[in-house]
Every structure is written in structure tokens, then in C-alpha cells.
């Protein structure tokens, strides 16, 4: 409660916020209390691990992975129908957890393609040895590590002058290349049909949507969007969330982390 209320003072309560947890902890009620507008999702990797531990059934694990990651609701329903036939007990477990809690297609809020709490896991393993230190040394160790990371990342982000961050720039290029294999036809002033033969999706730039839903959920162009943007002469960068830009990357590491001053009596 103490930690999260300090976090709230810094970042506020917004419906753009999403908490990703492994659900083992009791943070759920505290999050709902302090951040009533935020959304809460379950790390799909932890969910998968729980399924393996409890029901160890290879075909249901395979179906779960696909169902959790699909963007399309009809695809989700089809996969879950199969899942129920494979293991009714495991289906009951997922149903009790709540489908929107772990399914990308049903989740309400923006995931930005972050489906796991890997970041927290990495921090945990980084602190594995330091945890045995006395509390003040542990805090100092965390401060020193953050100081180093912020300095290094601020330096590489500042030296970088392309619109998107390195990772997102590469992702956009790969998506664009895959999109060049598709055909695009204008349907109306706003609607564009993109795909191959009968396997097509519809892009609507006025509503900022694509029927595959990847664009709406990741706030990053999908293959259909990149192809339609080509046809309509739209800039792909304008279709990416500002959070993916190198400006935001710089901003994230913009502030220095100072050492704690000596206590004065
Ligand atoms: Zn799409």
C-alpha cells in the first residue's frame, strides 16, 4: 500500500494504465482501491505455468497460448471451444480466472503488446544476491544500478535521431515488408480492403481501425495498415503511438538519479 500510494503520487490514476501481475500476490485489491481507473492483466507466461502444473496436457497448453495471444474475438471463441473439448477442468480454471484477465482479444485497455511481467522478473533476478544485504545497502545498490542504467540509456537515446526507437523502427520495417505481398483496393473514401484473394481485412483510417484489431490493440501499424497506408499515401509514423518514438525514449531517461545526501543532525 505504501509503495503503490507513492507510485500514484508520481504517475496519477488513469485509464491508460495497465498493471501486469502474476496474480500470486495480494496486490489486486490495493490496485483496485488506489487506481480505480487502471486496468489489471495477468502475465500469460505465469498463467501457462499454472496450467502446466495443474493439468499438464500438451494440446490444451498449445490452444491456451494461441487463445491468449490472438487479437480476433471470433478466433478466441473458436480456440476456446476446442480447449473446452480437450480439457473441461482446465477450461473451468481459465473461466474462473476471467477470460478478459488473460486474453488479448477480450482485455479492455491498451496492452502495447506487453503480455508478460518479464521486466519485473529481470529486476528480481538482478537483485537476487543484493537481497541478503542490510536494507540501506540494498536501497543504495538499487539506486546505483538505476543511476548507471539511466545514464547509459539517456546517452544512447540522445545519440539517436530516427523517429521511432530502435526496436520499433525494426518492427515497423519488418511489418512493412510483409505488407508489400498483399493487395489493396479502395472500397469507399475511408475504407480499404487488404489481403490475398478471399483472406482479406478492412482498414478504416477515419476510425483508426483495422478488422484484424492488431492496430487498435498495439497502437502500431499491422501488415494491412502498412499496405493501405501505401495506397492512400499516409505516413506510417503518424500511425504509431507517440510512446514508441525516440522522443519518449529520451524522455523516459531524461531525469538523473542523484545520490542520497548525508543525513544532517
Ligand atoms: Zn490489421
Amino acid at each position: 500500500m505504501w509503495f503503490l500510494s507513492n507510485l500514484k503520487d508520481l504517475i496519477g490514476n488513469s485509464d491508460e494504465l495497465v498493471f501486469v501481475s502474476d496474480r500470486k500476490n495480494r496486490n489486486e485489491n490495493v490496485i483496485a482501491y488506489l487506481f480505480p481507473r487502471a486496468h489489471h492483466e495477468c502475465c500469460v507466461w505465469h498463467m501457462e505455468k499454472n496450467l502446466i502444473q495443474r493439468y499438464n496436457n500438451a494440446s490444451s497448453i498449445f490452444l491456451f497460448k494461441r487463445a491468449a495471444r490472438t487479437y480476433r474475438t471470433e478466433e478466441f471463441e473458436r480456440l476456446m471451444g476446442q480447449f473446452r473439448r480437450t480439457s473441461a477442468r482446465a477450461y473451468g480454471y481459465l473461466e474462473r480466472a476471467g477470460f478478459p484477465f488473460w486474453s488479448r482479444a477480450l482485455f479492455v485497455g491498451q496492452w502495447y503488446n506487453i503480455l508478460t511481467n518479464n521486466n519485473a522478473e529481470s529486476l528480481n533476478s538482478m537483485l537476487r544476491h543484493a537481497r541478503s544485504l542490510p536494507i540501506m545497502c540494498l536501497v543504495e545498490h538499487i539506486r546505483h544500478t538505476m543511476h548507471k542504467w539511466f545514464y547509459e540509456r539517456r546517452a544512447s537515446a540522445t545519440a539517436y535521431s530516427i523517429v521511432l526507437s530502435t526496436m520499433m523502427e525494426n518492427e515497423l520495417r519488418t511489418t512493412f515488408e510483409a505488407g508489400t505481398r498483399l493487395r489493396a483496393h479502395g472500397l469507399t473514401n475511408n475504407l480499404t480492403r487488404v489481403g490475398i484473394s478471399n483472406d482479406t481485412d478492412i482498414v478504416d483510417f477515419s476510425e483508426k481501425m483495422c478488422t484484424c484489431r492488431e492496430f487498435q490493440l498495439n497502437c502500431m501499424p499491422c501488415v494491412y495498415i502498412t499496405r493501405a497506408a501505401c495506397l492512400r499515401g499516409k505516413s506510417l509514423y503518424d500511425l504509431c503511438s507517440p510512446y514508441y518514438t525516440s522522443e519518449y525514449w529520451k524522455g523516459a531517461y531524461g531525469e538523473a538519479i542523484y545520490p542520497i545526501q548525508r543525513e544532517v543532525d
Side-chain angles (χ1 to χ4, degrees):
M1 178 70 107
W2 177 84
F3 177 82
L4 287 170
S5 44
N6 280 293
L7 181 68
K8 189 185 175 181
D9 288 345
L10 287 169
I11 63 172
N13 170 28
S14 146
D15 51 12
E16 277 197 76
L17 266 181
V18 176
F19 287 88
V20 190
S21 75
D22 58 8
R23 224 198 182 185
K24 262 185 297 190
N25 51 40
R26 308 256 164 104
N27 287 342
E28 230 174 316
N29 295 338
V30 182
I31 290 172
Y33 173 71
L34 286 172
F35 299 91
R37 293 173 62 195
H39 306 282
H40 191 184
E41 66 171 272
C42 182
C43 164
V44 294
W45 184 81
H46 277 91
M47 203 73 191
E48 185 189 323
K49 226 171 64 170
N50 290 347
L51 274 181
I52 294 171
Q53 264 168 12
R54 286 164 196 242
Y55 307 100
N56 199 12
N57 172 327
S59 41
S60 57
I61 302 301
F62 174 75
L63 287 168
F64 166 77
K65 280 163 123 172
R66 289 184 56 196
R69 284 171 173 79
T70 184
Y71 292 90
R72 301 176 193 253
T73 35
E74 57 291 9
E75 171 81 350
F76 175 82
E77 274 154 25
R78 190 184 64 77
L79 289 164
M80 288 313 286
Q82 266 179 278
F83 190 102
R84 198 210 290 255
R85 288 190 290 279
T86 313
S87 168
R89 280 174 59 238
Y91 182 91
Y93 170 74
L94 291 178
E95 201 173 28
R96 283 192 300 280
F99 293 159
F101 194 50
W102 53 266
S103 140
R104 172 143 67 183
L106 303 193
F107 182 76
V108 183
Q110 231 72 58
W111 283 41
Y112 292 97
N113 212 12
I114 294 170
L115 305 183
T116 64
N117 63 351
N118 282 357
N119 282 357
E121 296 291 327
S122 307
L123 277 176
N124 272 346
S125 71
M126 184 273 286
L127 294 173
R128 202 172 52 239
H129 299 297
R131 271 177 182 191
S132 52
L133 296 171
I135 184 80
M136 288 309 285
C137 301
L138 172 63
V139 171
E140 180 49 26
H141 173 78
I142 296 173
R143 191 208 61 76
H144 179 77
T145 311
M146 293 296 152
H147 163 95
K148 194 166 152 266
W149 286 359
F150 268 62
Y151 179 79
E152 288 166 359
R153 284 158 203 205
R154 188 167 53 247
S156 43
T158 310
Y160 193 79
S161 58
I162 300 175
V163 179
L164 301 181
S165 70
T166 333
M167 194 177 118
M168 300 319 283
E169 196 74 42
N170 289 338
E171 199 174 306
L172 185 62
R173 190 174 308 122
T174 312
T175 311
F176 175 80
E177 280 164 12
T180 55
R181 288 192 280 273
L182 305 174
R183 286 169 175 273
H185 305 278
L187 284 178
T188 64
N189 280 349
N190 294 325
L191 303 184
T192 313
R193 183 167 169 255
V194 187
I196 297 172
S197 59
N198 283 336
D199 188 12
T200 55
D201 275 274
I202 309 280
V203 169
D204 183 350
F205 285 119
S206 66
E207 295 291 326
K208 293 190 172 139
M209 61 79 75
C210 170
T211 48
C212 90
R213 300 183 74 234
E214 200 178 313
F215 177 56
Q216 293 92 298
L217 295 175
N218 289 350
C219 304
M220 187 75 187
C222 61
V223 277
Y224 308 102
I225 290 278
T226 56
R227 186 65 192 87
C230 242
L231 183 81
R232 303 283 185 173
K234 284 194 179 291
S235 153
L236 290 180
Y237 289 136
D238 293 344
L239 300 165
C240 300
S241 160
Y243 296 142
Y244 297 132
T245 60
S246 50
E247 275 313 304
Y248 262 81
W249 183 24
K250 272 174 223 166
Y253 297 102
E255 287 186 49
I257 296 182
Y258 296 103
I260 300 158
Q261 299 293 314
R262 268 176 208 281
E263 204 175 332
V264 180
D265 295 323

